[in-house]
Amino acid sequence: MNIELNKIFETHYTIKGENSAKSMGSGDLEVLSTPSLVAFMENSAKNYLNNFLNEELGSVGSNININHLAPTLIGKNIIVKGSIKEIIKEKIIIFNLEAYEGDTQIATANHTRVIINNKIFMEKLISK
């Protein structure tokens, strides 16, 4: 793999009703839920990492430590920005992630993904 550390990538999302705390069951208001924010951040990291993997490989999230700093209304747009902070044993990838609504930082996170062989991973699960 030829992954460059600290190179910034970004992904844009529009917050929909299904992403609300009320819809997700994590709160009572029509604002971006923390579970949806986690999914957006993980999705950004996964999609970026996929650029460096062949068809047989994928990744799974193994850890995320998130700080949800500010609320976001439904219908607003957010940007998730990230970079790879560290690579351990060529298969454990640690990301720094931030999310913004306009100029307002709404979240920070550290996220770990583990590179897997998709077929072997699924075979192990099915044979349990």
Side-chain angles (χ1 to χ4, degrees):
M1 278 186 309
N2 190 17
I3 300 175
E4 186 179 336
L5 295 177
N6 300 314
K7 182 177 180 183
I8 304 294
F9 61 90
E10 62 181 54
T11 311
H12 299 249
Y13 297 94
T14 299
I15 309 309
K16 300 177 182 174
E18 63 203 40
N19 305 123
S20 75
K22 187 172 185 175
S23 178
M24 294 291 296
S26 64
D28 297 324
L29 301 176
E30 293 292 336
V31 295
L32 174 61
S33 70
T34 302
S36 291
L37 183 55
V38 167
F40 290 145
M41 295 179 104
E42 282 203 56
N43 180 261
S44 294
K46 174 197 66 89
N47 287 343
Y48 181 70
L49 185 55
N50 281 349
N51 291 314
F52 304 98
L53 304 178
N54 65 39
E55 293 176 2
E56 295 177 359
L57 300 178
S59 67
V60 292
S62 65
N63 179 276
I64 190 161
N65 182 4
I66 186 169
N67 295 301
H68 193 164
L69 305 170
T72 304
L73 290 170
I74 304 307
K76 296 291 185 175
N77 296 310
I78 67 167
I79 299 172
V80 174
K81 296 181 180 184
S83 65
I84 294 176
K85 173 182 164 183
E86 186 177 1
I87 302 170
I88 302 170
K89 298 182 182 177
E90 296 186 23
K91 72 175 194 170
I92 299 171
I93 314 298
I94 301 173
F95 291 86
N96 285 332
L97 300 165
E98 300 176 332
Y100 294 86
E101 179 196 339
D103 293 332
T104 302
Q105 185 178 60
I106 63 166
T108 61
N110 293 311
H111 176 45
T112 303
R113 299 196 69 79
V114 179
I115 296 173
I116 58 158
N117 179 297
N118 291 323
K119 182 178 177 184
I120 293 170
F121 185 87
M122 291 306 295
E123 285 173 353
K124 285 181 181 178
L125 285 176
I126 292 168
S127 67
K128 279 186 170 182

